[in-house]
Short mmCIF file of all heavy atoms in Angstrom, two decimals:
data_model
loop_
_atom_site.label_atom_id
_atom_site.label_comp_id
_atom_site.label_asym_id
_atom_site.label_seq_id
_atom_site.Cartn_x
_atom_site.Cartn_y
_atom_site.Cartn_z
N VAL Q 308 5.65 32.43 -0.31
CA VAL Q 308 5.69 31.99 -1.71
C VAL Q 308 5.10 30.60 -1.91
O VAL Q 308 5.12 30.07 -3.02
CB VAL Q 308 7.14 32.03 -2.27
CG1 VAL Q 308 7.75 33.41 -2.07
CG2 VAL Q 308 8.02 30.96 -1.65
N VAL Q 309 4.55 30.02 -0.86
CA VAL Q 309 3.97 28.68 -0.93
C VAL Q 309 2.47 28.79 -1.21
O VAL Q 309 1.72 29.37 -0.42
CB VAL Q 309 4.20 27.90 0.38
CG1 VAL Q 309 3.47 26.56 0.35
CG2 VAL Q 309 5.69 27.69 0.62
N ALA Q 310 2.04 28.20 -2.34
CA ALA Q 310 0.61 28.17 -2.64
C ALA Q 310 -0.09 27.06 -1.86
O ALA Q 310 -1.25 27.20 -1.47
CB ALA Q 310 0.40 27.96 -4.14
N GLY Q 311 0.61 25.94 -1.64
CA GLY Q 311 0.00 24.84 -0.92
C GLY Q 311 0.88 23.61 -0.94
O GLY Q 311 2.04 23.64 -1.37
N PHE Q 312 0.30 22.50 -0.47
CA PHE Q 312 1.02 21.23 -0.36
C PHE Q 312 0.25 20.14 -1.09
O PHE Q 312 -0.98 20.18 -1.18
CB PHE Q 312 1.20 20.83 1.10
CG PHE Q 312 2.03 21.78 1.91
CD1 PHE Q 312 1.46 22.57 2.90
CD2 PHE Q 312 3.40 21.89 1.70
CE1 PHE Q 312 2.22 23.45 3.66
CE2 PHE Q 312 4.17 22.77 2.46
CZ PHE Q 312 3.58 23.54 3.43
N THR Q 313 0.98 19.15 -1.57
CA THR Q 313 0.37 18.00 -2.23
C THR Q 313 1.13 16.74 -1.84
O THR Q 313 2.19 16.80 -1.22
CB THR Q 313 0.33 18.21 -3.76
OG1 THR Q 313 -0.53 17.24 -4.35
CG2 THR Q 313 1.74 18.11 -4.37
N CYS Q 314 0.57 15.59 -2.22
CA CYS Q 314 1.25 14.31 -2.01
C CYS Q 314 2.11 14.00 -3.22
O CYS Q 314 1.75 14.32 -4.36
CB CYS Q 314 0.23 13.19 -1.84
SG CYS Q 314 -0.95 13.40 -0.49
N ALA Q 315 3.23 13.33 -2.99
CA ALA Q 315 4.13 12.95 -4.07
C ALA Q 315 4.72 11.57 -3.80
O ALA Q 315 4.83 11.14 -2.65
CB ALA Q 315 5.26 13.97 -4.23
N ASN Q 316 5.07 10.89 -4.89
CA ASN Q 316 5.81 9.64 -4.81
C ASN Q 316 7.03 9.77 -5.70
O ASN Q 316 6.91 9.84 -6.92
CB ASN Q 316 4.93 8.47 -5.26
CG ASN Q 316 5.62 7.12 -5.08
OD1 ASN Q 316 6.69 7.02 -4.49
ND2 ASN Q 316 4.99 6.07 -5.58
N ASP Q 317 8.20 9.84 -5.09
CA ASP Q 317 9.46 9.94 -5.83
C ASP Q 317 9.91 8.53 -6.20
O ASP Q 317 10.74 7.92 -5.53
CB ASP Q 317 10.50 10.66 -4.96
CG ASP Q 317 11.88 10.70 -5.59
OD1 ASP Q 317 11.98 10.49 -6.81
OD2 ASP Q 317 12.85 10.94 -4.86
N ILE Q 318 9.35 8.00 -7.28
CA ILE Q 318 9.68 6.63 -7.70
C ILE Q 318 11.13 6.60 -8.17
O ILE Q 318 11.55 7.41 -8.99
CB ILE Q 318 8.72 6.16 -8.80
CG1 ILE Q 318 7.26 6.25 -8.31
CG2 ILE Q 318 9.05 4.73 -9.21
CD1 ILE Q 318 6.25 5.92 -9.38
N SER Q 319 11.88 5.64 -7.64
CA SER Q 319 13.34 5.67 -7.80
C SER Q 319 13.87 4.35 -8.33
O SER Q 319 13.68 3.29 -7.73
CB SER Q 319 14.01 5.97 -6.45
OG SER Q 319 13.57 7.23 -5.96
N ASN Q 320 14.57 4.43 -9.45
CA ASN Q 320 15.22 3.28 -10.09
C ASN Q 320 16.60 3.11 -9.47
O ASN Q 320 17.56 3.78 -9.84
CB ASN Q 320 15.29 3.54 -11.60
CG ASN Q 320 16.29 2.68 -12.33
OD1 ASN Q 320 16.72 1.65 -11.83
ND2 ASN Q 320 16.68 3.13 -13.51
N ARG Q 321 16.69 2.24 -8.46
CA ARG Q 321 17.93 2.10 -7.71
C ARG Q 321 19.05 1.50 -8.55
O ARG Q 321 20.24 1.78 -8.31
CB ARG Q 321 17.71 1.24 -6.47
CG ARG Q 321 16.65 1.74 -5.52
CD ARG Q 321 16.96 3.08 -4.93
NE ARG Q 321 16.03 3.38 -3.83
CZ ARG Q 321 15.76 4.59 -3.39
NH1 ARG Q 321 16.34 5.65 -3.95
NH2 ARG Q 321 14.91 4.77 -2.41
N ASP Q 322 18.72 0.64 -9.52
CA ASP Q 322 19.75 0.02 -10.34
C ASP Q 322 20.69 1.08 -10.91
O ASP Q 322 21.92 0.95 -10.85
CB ASP Q 322 19.12 -0.77 -11.49
CG ASP Q 322 18.43 -2.03 -11.04
OD1 ASP Q 322 17.91 -2.06 -9.92
OD2 ASP Q 322 18.39 -2.99 -11.83
N ASP Q 323 20.09 2.12 -11.49
CA ASP Q 323 20.89 3.15 -12.13
C ASP Q 323 21.27 4.28 -11.18
O ASP Q 323 22.34 4.88 -11.32
CB ASP Q 323 20.14 3.72 -13.33
CG ASP Q 323 20.05 2.71 -14.47
OD1 ASP Q 323 21.11 2.18 -14.85
OD2 ASP Q 323 18.95 2.44 -14.96
N GLN Q 324 20.40 4.59 -10.21
CA GLN Q 324 20.74 5.65 -9.26
C GLN Q 324 22.05 5.36 -8.55
O GLN Q 324 22.87 6.26 -8.34
CB GLN Q 324 19.62 5.82 -8.22
CG GLN Q 324 19.91 6.93 -7.21
CD GLN Q 324 18.90 6.97 -6.08
OE1 GLN Q 324 17.91 6.24 -6.08
NE2 GLN Q 324 19.14 7.85 -5.12
N ASP Q 325 22.25 4.11 -8.19
CA ASP Q 325 23.45 3.75 -7.43
C ASP Q 325 24.71 3.67 -8.29
O ASP Q 325 25.81 3.47 -7.77
CB ASP Q 325 23.23 2.42 -6.71
CG ASP Q 325 22.21 2.54 -5.58
OD1 ASP Q 325 21.96 3.67 -5.13
OD2 ASP Q 325 21.65 1.49 -5.17
N LYS Q 326 24.55 3.86 -9.61
CA LYS Q 326 25.70 3.80 -10.52
C LYS Q 326 26.10 5.16 -11.07
O LYS Q 326 27.13 5.27 -11.73
CB LYS Q 326 25.41 2.86 -11.69
CG LYS Q 326 25.22 1.40 -11.30
CD LYS Q 326 24.84 0.58 -12.52
CE LYS Q 326 24.60 -0.87 -12.16
NZ LYS Q 326 24.15 -1.66 -13.34
N GLU Q 327 25.27 6.18 -10.88
CA GLU Q 327 25.55 7.47 -11.50
C GLU Q 327 25.47 8.60 -10.49
O GLU Q 327 24.85 8.45 -9.43
CB GLU Q 327 24.60 7.73 -12.67
CG GLU Q 327 23.14 7.79 -12.29
CD GLU Q 327 22.22 7.93 -13.50
OE1 GLU Q 327 22.69 7.88 -14.64
OE2 GLU Q 327 21.02 8.12 -13.29
N GLN Q 328 26.08 9.72 -10.81
CA GLN Q 328 26.09 10.86 -9.90
C GLN Q 328 24.94 11.81 -10.12
O GLN Q 328 24.45 12.43 -9.18
CB GLN Q 328 27.42 11.61 -10.05
CG GLN Q 328 28.63 10.82 -9.57
CD GLN Q 328 29.91 11.63 -9.65
OE1 GLN Q 328 30.03 12.56 -10.43
NE2 GLN Q 328 30.88 11.28 -8.83
N ASN Q 329 24.48 11.98 -11.36
CA ASN Q 329 23.44 12.98 -11.62
C ASN Q 329 22.02 12.41 -11.53
O ASN Q 329 21.05 13.16 -11.58
CB ASN Q 329 23.64 13.65 -12.98
CG ASN Q 329 23.70 12.67 -14.13
OD1 ASN Q 329 23.16 11.56 -14.03
ND2 ASN Q 329 24.34 13.06 -15.21
N TRP Q 330 21.86 11.10 -11.43
CA TRP Q 330 20.60 10.41 -11.16
C TRP Q 330 19.54 10.59 -12.24
O TRP Q 330 18.35 10.42 -11.98
CB TRP Q 330 20.02 10.87 -9.82
CG TRP Q 330 20.84 10.49 -8.63
CD1 TRP Q 330 22.01 9.77 -8.63
CD2 TRP Q 330 20.58 10.79 -7.27
NE1 TRP Q 330 22.49 9.61 -7.37
CE2 TRP Q 330 21.63 10.24 -6.50
CE3 TRP Q 330 19.56 11.48 -6.61
CZ2 TRP Q 330 21.68 10.36 -5.11
CZ3 TRP Q 330 19.61 11.60 -5.24
CH2 TRP Q 330 20.65 11.05 -4.50
N VAL Q 331 19.95 10.93 -13.47
CA VAL Q 331 18.95 11.10 -14.54
C VAL Q 331 18.20 9.79 -14.78
O VAL Q 331 16.97 9.75 -14.79
CB VAL Q 331 19.62 11.60 -15.83
CG1 VAL Q 331 18.63 11.58 -16.99
CG2 VAL Q 331 20.13 13.02 -15.63
N ARG Q 332 18.93 8.68 -14.97
CA ARG Q 332 18.27 7.40 -15.19
C ARG Q 332 17.53 6.93 -13.94
O ARG Q 332 16.50 6.27 -14.03
CB ARG Q 332 19.31 6.35 -15.60
CG ARG Q 332 20.02 6.64 -16.91
CD ARG Q 332 21.12 5.61 -17.16
NE ARG Q 332 21.91 5.92 -18.34
CZ ARG Q 332 22.94 6.77 -18.37
NH1 ARG Q 332 23.30 7.40 -17.26
NH2 ARG Q 332 23.61 6.98 -19.49
N GLY Q 333 18.08 7.27 -12.79
CA GLY Q 333 17.52 6.79 -11.53
C GLY Q 333 16.28 7.52 -11.08
O GLY Q 333 15.42 6.95 -10.40
N LYS Q 334 16.15 8.82 -11.46
CA LYS Q 334 15.09 9.64 -10.88
C LYS Q 334 14.22 10.38 -11.89
O LYS Q 334 13.12 10.81 -11.54
CB LYS Q 334 15.72 10.69 -9.95
CG LYS Q 334 16.39 10.12 -8.70
CD LYS Q 334 15.38 9.74 -7.64
CE LYS Q 334 16.04 9.50 -6.29
NZ LYS Q 334 15.04 9.26 -5.21
N ALA Q 335 14.69 10.58 -13.13
CA ALA Q 335 14.02 11.50 -14.05
C ALA Q 335 13.24 10.82 -15.16
O ALA Q 335 12.80 11.48 -16.09
CB ALA Q 335 15.05 12.46 -14.66
N PHE Q 336 13.04 9.51 -15.05
CA PHE Q 336 12.33 8.81 -16.12
C PHE Q 336 10.85 9.20 -16.14
O PHE Q 336 10.32 9.75 -15.17
CB PHE Q 336 12.52 7.29 -15.99
CG PHE Q 336 12.13 6.70 -14.65
CD1 PHE Q 336 10.83 6.25 -14.43
CD2 PHE Q 336 13.06 6.59 -13.63
CE1 PHE Q 336 10.47 5.69 -13.21
CE2 PHE Q 336 12.71 6.04 -12.40
CZ PHE Q 336 11.41 5.59 -12.19
N ASP Q 337 10.18 8.89 -17.24
CA ASP Q 337 8.78 9.29 -17.43
C ASP Q 337 7.90 8.80 -16.28
O ASP Q 337 8.00 7.64 -15.84
CB ASP Q 337 8.23 8.72 -18.74
CG ASP Q 337 8.76 9.42 -19.97
OD1 ASP Q 337 9.45 10.45 -19.83
OD2 ASP Q 337 8.49 8.94 -21.08
N ASN Q 338 7.01 9.70 -15.82
CA ASN Q 338 5.98 9.38 -14.82
C ASN Q 338 6.56 8.95 -13.47
O ASN Q 338 5.89 8.27 -12.70
CB ASN Q 338 5.03 8.31 -15.34
CG ASN Q 338 4.40 8.68 -16.67
OD1 ASN Q 338 4.46 7.92 -17.62
ND2 ASN Q 338 3.82 9.86 -16.76
N SER Q 339 7.78 9.38 -13.18
CA SER Q 339 8.43 8.98 -11.92
C SER Q 339 8.06 9.86 -10.75
O SER Q 339 8.60 9.69 -9.65
CB SER Q 339 9.95 8.97 -12.09
OG SER Q 339 10.43 10.27 -12.41
N CYS Q 340 7.12 10.81 -10.96
CA CYS Q 340 6.71 11.67 -9.84
C CYS Q 340 5.20 11.89 -9.86
O CYS Q 340 4.72 12.97 -10.23
CB CYS Q 340 7.45 13.01 -9.90
SG CYS Q 340 7.25 13.98 -8.38
N PRO Q 341 4.42 10.90 -9.46
CA PRO Q 341 2.99 11.15 -9.29
C PRO Q 341 2.75 12.23 -8.25
O PRO Q 341 3.40 12.27 -7.20
CB PRO Q 341 2.46 9.79 -8.80
CG PRO Q 341 3.48 8.81 -9.23
CD PRO Q 341 4.80 9.52 -9.16
N LEU Q 342 1.78 13.12 -8.54
CA LEU Q 342 1.42 14.22 -7.65
C LEU Q 342 -0.10 14.25 -7.49
O LEU Q 342 -0.83 13.95 -8.42
CB LEU Q 342 1.87 15.57 -8.22
CG LEU Q 342 3.36 15.78 -8.46
CD1 LEU Q 342 3.57 17.08 -9.25
CD2 LEU Q 342 4.12 15.85 -7.14
N GLY Q 343 -0.56 14.67 -6.29
CA GLY Q 343 -2.00 14.87 -6.15
C GLY Q 343 -2.54 14.26 -4.86
O GLY Q 343 -1.78 13.94 -3.96
N PRO Q 344 -3.86 14.05 -4.79
CA PRO Q 344 -4.82 14.39 -5.83
C PRO Q 344 -5.21 15.87 -5.86
O PRO Q 344 -5.79 16.33 -6.83
CB PRO Q 344 -6.03 13.53 -5.45
CG PRO Q 344 -5.95 13.45 -3.95
CD PRO Q 344 -4.49 13.39 -3.64
N VAL Q 345 -4.85 16.58 -4.78
CA VAL Q 345 -5.23 17.99 -4.66
C VAL Q 345 -4.02 18.79 -4.19
O VAL Q 345 -3.00 18.23 -3.80
CB VAL Q 345 -6.39 18.20 -3.65
CG1 VAL Q 345 -7.62 17.41 -4.06
CG2 VAL Q 345 -5.95 17.83 -2.23
N MET Q 346 -4.16 20.11 -4.24
CA MET Q 346 -3.25 21.02 -3.54
C MET Q 346 -4.01 21.63 -2.38
O MET Q 346 -5.02 22.31 -2.59
CB MET Q 346 -2.74 22.13 -4.47
CG MET Q 346 -1.75 23.07 -3.76
SD MET Q 346 -1.39 24.56 -4.71
CE MET Q 346 -2.93 25.49 -4.48
N ALA Q 347 -3.56 21.34 -1.17
CA ALA Q 347 -4.19 21.89 0.03
C ALA Q 347 -3.45 23.15 0.46
O ALA Q 347 -2.21 23.19 0.44
CB ALA Q 347 -4.17 20.87 1.16
#
Side-chain angles (χ1 to χ4, degrees):
V308 305
V309 174
F312 297 110
T313 193
C314 302
N316 185 7
D317 175 18
I318 303 175
S319 300
N320 162 19
R321 302 298 191 202
D322 288 31
D323 290 308
Q324 181 187 355
D325 291 341
K326 295 176 182 176
E327 61 185 6
Q328 293 184 335
N329 56 24
W330 294 359
V331 171
R332 297 174 185 83
K334 293 282 194 174
F336 55 90
D337 286 352
N338 306 127
S339 62
C340 192
L342 299 171
V345 302
M346 181 191 74

